[in-house]
Amino acid sequence: MNSITDLLDLEDTDVIISDIQIHGQTKTITLETLPIAHFCPSCGYRMHSRGIKSRTINHPILQDNYSLILILKQRRWRCTNPECLYDTSESFKFVNKQRRTTNATDMLIVDAYRNLLETSASIAKRFHVSDSHAHEVFDRYVKLDRLPLTDAISIDEVHLDMADDCRYALVIQDFHTGDPIDLLRSRRTNVTEPYFVSIPIEERNQVKYLISDMYNPYIAYVEKYFPNAVPVVDSFHVIQWITRSIDNYIRQLIKKYRQRDREYQEKLSLEQQRPISLPPSDEVYLLQKYRWLILANQSNIRYHSEPRMDPHFHALMNTYDYEDALFRIDSNLRDYRDLKEKYVQFNSRNGGNPLQARTELKELIPEFKKSRFEIFRDFASLLEKFEDPIINSFIMVEKIGNGRIYDARLSNGPIESINRKVKDLKRLGHGFRNFEHFRNRFLYATRSSPVLNGVTDYNPVTYYEEDDF
């Protein structure tokens, strides 16, 4: 009995378990209080019992994989003073009046919101409450404040499109822990400027590194709000820039060969006076399916020398065969790949050594400037423009994660992972209208140890009055 009492968190020492019934996977527990003398709280006369009323309550915590139903036997009492006749029923601390679930339900509802895969509808269904009740319970308890700024923070936008003034939300993250510091409803100046200015200057002065992509307004935050910080351009976005440029070139090749194939197909249809459908040409097939051999970092490609049957060519081919076939389509593709790899290798070998990185970058920029390809000449201009923020990305700082402390290079990789969670939450929630609810849900689910700044007492007795039901 004691273990069951502890499990239920009954709180009332006078409550006893008078009966336990098991039917299938449901355990029904009958609870009642010992008959003791009651005195009227109004006049002090002794009260007499008017019988026992049974009340059925669901308890959401499983015991040994059994679902629990509580039968509460509540005595009704009436004052014996004929001038008073005060009437009342026994109450149990672990369940509020007019509720059909125990107070632990609120605690478990709030905890369930930690899972981004859960929606208000799924949580409500599990705990036998309405969607609006689950939503209201979360909003009552979870009101999260911004976390303090650290010496290394990351910023990035994420597309929400909740309203005209909430299209691109701004995520601020602590680089050391990966916890989101805050989520702003917009990246627009009319939102960000009063927000950052409201943070005490002493706290903003502690920021040493502001990590972002190459979006100029973000880099300008350093001069506007963080006077002791330096901007850091994430290396992923630099490589993404050149990779996207090469991919656009390949897409133009695909478009050219598709147009050629379309014209040839129309010519055959006219000659044979019937519709002709042709399979993709060799060029379109290779450029569509295997352009990743050019775009991916070579160090990440697993080259297979063992040939495999290709369903398009009906021949045995390995990774090297596909690569050579791509280069035969357009000889520029080999040069694009090799020039891109020069920057990728430079980026990967200088972590923790920004001085050496600066020396090598000053050698790479003139080489790209002299390239016969416009893509790499433009890339050289980009590297010149963001030279200092790019070099700052080679700085290593302490990072906490997976139960250990280690040195990591400054990057926006962690915040990209956070952004995916924002998008997942928006998609699985089938749309949000209330940004504050969305913000609290996101911060509550993604912070490692969220501290609730709303109501911290899970007992809802103090928040419901009998007249509310």
Side-chain angles (χ1 to χ4, degrees):
M1 183 188 298
N2 289 336
S3 63
I4 295 177
T5 304
D6 292 340
L7 174 70
L8 297 178
D9 191 20
L10 295 184
E11 303 177 18
D12 292 337
T13 55
D14 295 333
V15 174
I16 62 170
I17 298 175
S18 59
D19 186 46
I20 298 177
Q21 299 288 333
I22 298 177
H23 302 282
Q25 289 300 114
T26 301
K27 185 177 293 187
T28 303
I29 301 175
T30 302
L31 304 172
E32 59 181 304
T33 58
L34 295 173
I36 58 176
H38 278 61
F39 296 91
C40 179
S42 179
C43 66
Y45 271 61
R46 186 168 183 138
M47 306 181 77
H48 73 270
S49 174
R50 298 179 55 215
I52 295 177
K53 174 185 176 182
S54 292
R55 181 178 167 199
T56 302
I57 301 294
N58 290 316
H59 188 67
I61 299 177
L62 301 181
Q63 185 198 24
D64 300 331
N65 292 324
Y66 287 96
S67 59
L68 297 182
I69 295 177
L70 307 182
I71 305 296
L72 307 184
K73 289 193 172 181
Q74 297 177 292
R75 286 184 174 83
R76 296 178 61 86
W77 298 92
R78 173 172 287 180
C79 179
T80 56
N81 182 357
E83 296 181 0
C84 178
L85 299 178
Y86 178 84
D87 188 272
T88 187
S89 297
E90 283 181 332
S91 62
F92 294 82
K93 293 181 181 179
F94 56 88
V95 61
N96 195 14
K97 291 183 178 180
Q98 307 299 328
R99 293 283 296 275
R100 295 185 178 181
T101 58
T102 61
N103 295 341
T105 304
D106 284 3
M107 176 187 69
L108 296 178
I109 287 174
V110 171
D111 187 64
Y113 274 98
R114 289 274 285 165
N115 184 355
L116 285 174
L117 298 179
E118 293 272 18
T119 64
S120 291
S122 65
I123 293 171
K125 183 177 180 181
R126 192 200 317 171
F127 294 107
H128 308 289
V129 297
S130 66
D131 296 8
S132 59
H133 177 77
H135 192 286
E136 185 275 331
V137 166
F138 176 82
D139 286 345
R140 186 192 326 146
Y141 292 113
V142 183
K143 297 178 178 67
L144 297 181
D145 286 342
R146 149 185 91 77
L147 294 180
L149 300 178
T150 64
D151 64 337
I153 63 173
S154 301
I155 56 174
D156 199 8
E157 75 280 350
V158 62
H159 185 249
L160 290 185
D161 201 18
M162 284 189 188
D164 290 340
D165 64 341
C166 186
R167 293 193 180 279
Y168 288 92
L170 187 71
V171 183
I172 309 171
Q173 184 188 42
D174 176 5
F175 178 77
H176 296 290
T177 64
D179 279 352
I181 292 174
D182 210 344
L183 179 69
L184 307 188
R185 67 181 300 110
S186 175
R187 65 179 181 180
R188 293 177 179 175
T189 305
N190 65 331
V191 173
T192 58
E193 185 162 339
Y195 175 84
F196 286 118
V197 170
S198 68
I199 299 175
I201 185 63
E202 296 80 13
E203 186 177 348
R204 287 187 276 130
N205 283 340
Q206 296 175 9
V207 179
K208 296 180 180 179
Y209 308 107
L210 182 70
I211 312 163
S212 69
D213 55 24
M214 291 175 284
Y215 187 50
N216 286 319
Y218 294 160
I219 295 176
Y221 286 174
V222 170
E223 293 185 3
K224 294 176 67 175
Y225 312 121
F226 307 105
N228 295 333
V230 295
V232 179
V233 165
D234 176 50
S235 62
F236 166 79
H237 287 92
V238 179
I239 296 175
Q240 185 188 56
W241 189 96
I242 188 61
T243 302
R244 186 182 292 124
S245 299
I246 296 173
D247 189 40
N248 288 337
Y249 178 82
I250 295 175
R251 289 176 184 274
Q252 291 301 314
L253 287 178
I254 295 174
K255 185 177 180 180
K256 180 183 76 173
Y257 284 110
R258 276 181 172 167
Q259 179 62 28
R260 181 204 63 182
D261 297 345
R262 194 178 300 112
E263 292 173 357
Y264 179 63
Q265 183 172 297
E266 290 173 355
K267 179 182 176 183
L268 286 180
S269 297
L270 287 174
E271 289 176 353
Q272 300 188 23
Q273 297 183 350
R274 62 184 180 87
I276 299 294
S277 178
L278 298 176
S281 63
D282 295 350
E283 293 87 354
V284 172
Y285 173 77
L286 287 166
L287 291 170
Q288 275 192 319
K289 190 170 183 179
Y290 291 99
R291 68 174 182 264
W292 60 269
L293 289 171
I294 297 170
L295 300 176
N297 298 347
Q298 274 194 293
S299 59
N300 296 333
I301 298 175
R302 295 178 60 186
Y303 283 86
H304 297 281
S305 56
E306 181 180 350
R308 300 171 182 174
M309 178 60 66
D310 184 274
H312 176 84
F313 292 104
H314 303 289
L316 293 172
M317 300 182 69
N318 60 26
T319 312
Y320 299 97
D321 295 327
Y322 290 119
E323 194 175 69
D324 291 340
L326 284 168
F327 295 152
R328 286 195 297 272
I329 294 174
D330 188 323
S331 59
N332 291 340
L333 294 179
R334 184 189 295 273
D335 295 329
Y336 283 165
R337 194 275 309 272
D338 293 344
L339 285 170
K340 178 212 46 155
E341 282 299 311
K342 279 195 173 184
Y343 187 84
V344 170
Q345 291 167 16
F346 149 78
N347 180 71
S348 61
R349 66 172 167 259
N350 289 303
N353 194 347
L355 292 178
Q356 180 61 29
R358 187 179 293 277
T359 300
E360 291 192 25
L361 185 60
K362 287 189 177 296
E363 296 172 356
L364 273 177
I365 290 175
E367 182 179 350
F368 290 151
K369 272 188 173 181
K370 296 175 184 176
S371 172
R372 62 189 179 93
F373 304 113
E374 183 180 2
I375 289 176
F376 284 91
R377 294 196 297 271
D378 292 342
F379 187 48
S381 299
L382 182 85
L383 296 178
E384 270 189 326
K385 179 180 179 181
F386 296 101
E387 179 178 345
D388 288 338
I390 289 172
I391 295 303
N392 292 335
S393 73
F394 290 89
I395 297 172
M396 306 278 281
V397 299
E398 192 176 82
K399 190 166 175 58
I400 304 170
N402 299 322
R404 62 190 183 97
I405 301 175
Y406 57 96
D407 289 336
R409 198 175 143 184
L410 294 172
S411 78
N412 253 11
I415 205 169
E416 294 293 336
S417 175
I418 285 285
N419 286 352
R420 283 195 293 272
K421 292 180 180 179
V422 175
K423 295 174 183 176
D424 289 343
L425 175 59
K426 178 188 173 185
R427 184 184 69 255
L428 293 171
H430 303 292
F432 284 81
R433 296 180 181 178
N434 186 326
F435 173 78
E436 286 305 315
H437 174 81
F438 182 89
R439 171 189 172 276
N440 282 314
R441 174 79 197 275
F442 162 70
L443 296 177
Y444 182 63
T446 53
R447 285 180 180 172
S448 53
S449 300
V451 178
L452 303 185
N453 292 330
V455 179
T456 55
D457 182 1
Y458 279 107
N459 185 354
V461 171
T462 55
Y463 297 97
Y464 290 111
E465 299 296 337
E466 190 168 352
D467 293 341
D468 293 337
F469 297 94

